[in-house]
Amino acid sequence: MFVGLSAGAKAQSVSLLIQVTPNKIESIRAVSGPKFQWLTVDKNFGLYHCRISAELFAPGIIRQFNAMDGVLAIQKCRSITRRKQPNDPLFATQQYLNTIRAPWFWDRNTGGVNRRGDTLVVGMIDDGMDTAHPDLKANMWFNRNEIPWNGADDDGNGYTDDYRGWNGGDSNNRTFTTQSIYAHGTEVAGIMGAAGNNNTGVCGINWQTKLMPLLCYPINGVNGDLGVIRSMLYALRMKKLYMATGGQKGALIMAVNTSVGIDAAFPAEQPIWCSLYDSLGHAGILSSIATTNTPVDIGVVGDIPSLCPSTFTIVVNNTDANDNRINSGYSSQYVDMAAPGQDVYTTQLSSFMGPNGPYSKVSGTSFAAPQISAAATLLCSEVCDSFWTVHKHLPDSATRLLKSWILRSVDVIPALSGKCATAGRLNIEKARAEMNEWCTAVNQNLRTASKVYPNPAMPGQVIVWNGLLPGITSLTLHSMDGRQVATAKAIENNKIQLPDLSAGMYLLQGQTESAVVRTRIFVSEGSK
């Protein structure tokens, strides 16, 4: 039996990892005595986990194990830390990235493409973007179906020479103008997608996702809301084109950020602007919105686009990296969540001569909101294939799913109580956990499902569900984001009468007193 057992650390136990020669483990266990707990890690490799109370552990125990016949190696078990950090020299100044837990996501994925290899795009309705910036040019979106500057609409999308996005303000292809010298869009772009791990400057939430500039400010500086509407329409048409052509044209835009707005305004004054958020959402685009920087109750004072009544937006106010609330618009009804937009280190115009080059600190809700669009796009780089099936057939449900994962996963912050609906701040790592929980549930449902035919079916049609459990007590249909939308009727045996449904994809659920079975069904347009 070991000697020298003594009082030690306050921890509950100390763990040792021991490798032994074959057939020696029993004798080693016998010599060590009953104070040790043993678990087999890998018997073929001779690897065992040994645990002892910390109060009994003494450093000499490791030496005694090493002296025993048959012990090949021993080490004390230690905690490990994730090390997926970029080599960008200014990353240490970007404290907000740790606050929203972005590096914990990067251990698995850093953005750019989805699991099908499709390029992910995030749109920015702003004052353009410095396309020459060393930290942005690698992630600049290009319309590869457009021949640049040939004066023709090569891809047939209704826009001429839209090779690098679109200028909604002046309705042309110039995405860097005299309005862009304010650098607001360039600052936003750096937060969402400054190239990561390129040994240059800062790091974006997405290291590789493509940035689409949608310039909304006309050169003459008037009618900026018209520029916003044109920019939204461009994003909408490019996403619809992508969907219609199976990805051969257009762009896989998953999120659009709006860090511009009108103080003290209401939806009745901007019905066209507001309605377009629903249009984007139905096309599979989630919109993040920066609320006003003025510390007012926006439900009383007004703010556009914060008050636009769309289910496809996330309205954002401001905190700092230490979760202190920063004065900005608030409402427990109309503001959804917060993100740390105070003192955010990001990209500046490439002509800017700061101490670290074209980078500086910025503050405001304008720099909180793009973190949400970036998070949504980052989630899309890892989400399961079932999500993309939903996105193809029911893009509005895909948008709602993205929104729900982000809102349900916030870190609740006491300072935000009554200031936003969730009383919480963005946490990308927890949003991924929400996403994975959905993927696990849906994929399990589909693996255990039996065959339905015809599939696709028509609204109101009678279908056959092979293997439907006897004793069904209810038949319900659910959208792919989990909402029950209708009930179905069992006719006889395996035959089911579908209700009149809109075209799309649904989960058909049958329930007995002791079991639940689900299957996926597509409903085509038309009537029975």
Side-chain angles (χ1 to χ4, degrees):
M1 183 175 293
F2 276 22
V3 297
L5 298 176
S6 64
K10 301 279 185 182
Q12 293 182 350
S13 64
V14 173
S15 293
L16 303 174
L17 196 60
I18 303 175
Q19 185 181 13
V20 303
T21 56
N23 304 320
K24 288 289 185 179
I25 185 60
E26 294 304 326
S27 61
I28 293 170
R29 281 177 170 171
V31 171
S32 62
K35 299 292 185 181
F36 293 87
Q37 296 177 332
W38 292 84
L39 295 171
T40 301
V41 177
D42 191 311
K43 186 175 181 179
N44 292 334
F45 194 63
L47 199 60
Y48 297 87
H49 179 201
C50 173
R51 190 164 56 193
I52 184 174
S53 167
E55 293 182 352
L56 299 176
F57 178 78
I61 289 176
I62 292 179
R63 290 194 297 272
Q64 292 179 59
F65 266 122
N66 267 322
M68 293 178 65
D69 180 39
V71 173
L72 299 176
I74 181 172
Q75 65 187 53
K76 192 174 179 181
C77 294
R78 302 282 299 275
S79 298
I80 61 172
T81 57
R82 293 177 172 87
R83 294 181 176 177
K84 187 75 171 186
Q85 291 194 348
N87 59 17
D88 304 87
L90 300 178
F91 171 68
T93 67
Q94 297 179 275
Q95 185 183 348
Y96 78 98
L97 290 173
N98 288 313
T99 301
I100 63 174
R101 306 286 288 182
W104 284 260
F105 197 110
W106 296 338
D107 282 327
R108 293 281 300 278
N109 209 306
T110 56
V113 298
N114 66 10
R115 62 176 58 223
R116 296 179 173 183
D118 303 317
T119 299
L120 298 168
V121 182
V122 60
M124 306 173 298
I125 299 175
D126 219 295
D127 64 9
M129 178 179 122
D130 185 351
T131 57
H133 195 287
D135 238 355
L136 297 177
K137 58 185 179 181
N139 286 346
M140 179 75 189
W141 174 80
F142 294 102
N143 183 357
R144 299 298 182 183
N145 290 296
E146 194 76 9
I147 300 171
W149 332 135
N150 70 346
D153 177 16
D154 300 291
D155 61 357
N157 67 348
Y159 298 87
T160 300
D161 286 339
D162 55 320
Y163 184 62
R164 295 190 295 201
W166 193 248
N167 180 333
D170 297 308
S171 201
N172 62 36
N173 55 34
R174 297 181 58 205
T175 54
F176 190 89
T177 69
T178 53
Q179 290 291 329
S180 307
I181 62 174
Y182 297 98
H184 192 271
T186 296
E187 294 159 354
V188 166
I191 293 167
M192 293 199 293
N197 210 43
N198 65 341
N199 206 30
T200 301
V202 296
C203 180
I205 292 173
N206 292 274
W207 292 12
Q208 295 152 328
T209 294
K210 297 307 178 185
L211 304 164
M212 175 188 284
L214 302 165
L215 200 158
C216 64
Y217 292 93
I219 289 178
N220 62 16
V222 299
N223 296 330
D225 54 347
L226 176 58
V228 171
I229 290 168
R230 286 182 181 141
S231 297
M232 295 172 80
L233 285 170
Y234 180 80
L236 176 63
R237 287 166 179 156
M238 290 301 281
K239 180 61 178 287
K240 283 186 171 182
L241 183 61
Y242 181 93
M243 302 288 278
T245 62
Q248 295 303 305
K249 295 182 179 180
L252 183 52
I253 306 168
M254 298 306 300
V256 166
N257 182 69
T258 312
S259 284
V260 300
I262 305 173
D263 287 348
F266 290 88
E269 303 167 47
Q270 294 289 330
I272 301 173
W273 182 342
C274 284
S275 68
L276 280 170
Y277 286 117
D278 277 350
S279 299
L280 291 172
H282 283 290
I285 299 174
L286 180 67
S287 295
S288 58
I289 291 172
T291 195
T292 178
N293 285 298
T294 306
V296 295
D297 184 336
I298 63 169
V300 175
V301 175
D303 187 69
I304 290 295
S306 300
L307 295 181
C308 289
S310 174
T311 60
F312 301 108
T313 62
I314 294 180
V315 180
V316 190
N317 60 11
N318 199 11
T319 59
D320 65 15
N322 296 314
D323 287 333
N324 298 303
R325 189 178 76 85
I326 302 299
N327 278 341
S328 55
Y330 59 88
S331 170
S332 61
Q333 181 177 356
Y334 299 110
V335 177
D336 294 299
M337 63 183 296
Q342 188 73 8
D343 294 329
V344 172
Y345 214 80
T346 185
T347 47
Q348 268 290 343
L349 297 181
S350 51
S351 58
F352 180 80
M353 300 301 292
N356 294 306
Y359 305 91
S360 70
K361 281 185 177 181
V362 295
S363 296
T365 58
S366 284
F367 313 109
Q371 296 175 40
I372 309 305
S373 278
T377 310
L378 190 60
L379 289 169
C380 289
S381 68
E382 187 176 319
V383 69
C384 58
D385 196 62
S386 293
F387 172 84
W388 294 109
T389 303
V390 175
H391 178 262
K392 178 179 179 180
H393 296 280
L394 287 173
D396 59 328
S397 292
T399 311
R400 291 189 180 97
L401 278 170
L402 274 178
K403 178 177 178 176
S404 69
W405 297 334
I406 292 169
L407 293 184
R408 288 205 303 258
S409 60
V410 298
D411 284 332
V412 175
I413 308 299
L416 294 174
S417 178
K419 304 301 180 182
C420 59
T422 61
R425 181 257 306 138
L426 174 66
N427 183 319
I428 298 178
E429 183 189 24
K430 286 169 63 176
R432 178 172 66 184
E434 288 282 344
M435 174 190 75
N436 287 339
E437 182 178 344
W438 179 88
C439 285
T440 299
V442 170
N443 288 342
Q444 180 62 38
N445 291 338
L446 298 182
R447 279 196 298 272
T448 60
S450 48
K451 186 177 179 180
V452 170
Y453 63 90
N455 193 4
M458 304 292 283
Q461 187 170 7
V462 174
I463 62 171
V464 176
W465 188 354
N466 279 342
L468 182 61
L469 296 173
I472 287 291
T473 57
S474 70
L475 285 165
T476 53
L477 289 117
H478 302 255
S479 64
M480 294 303 290
D481 57 358
R483 294 176 294 117
Q484 181 177 327
V485 295
T487 59
K489 181 181 179 181
I491 300 176
E492 56 177 327
N493 298 329
N494 297 337
K495 293 183 179 179
I496 297 169
Q497 174 83 54
L498 290 178
D500 287 326
L501 295 165
S502 301
M505 181 172 64
Y506 299 89
L507 281 178
L508 176 60
Q509 175 176 297
Q511 186 165 353
T512 70
E513 291 183 358
S514 59
V516 175
V517 64
R518 302 178 181 92
T519 191
R520 184 168 59 191
I521 185 166
F522 297 91
V523 176
S524 302
E525 293 183 359
S527 58
K528 59 181 179 178

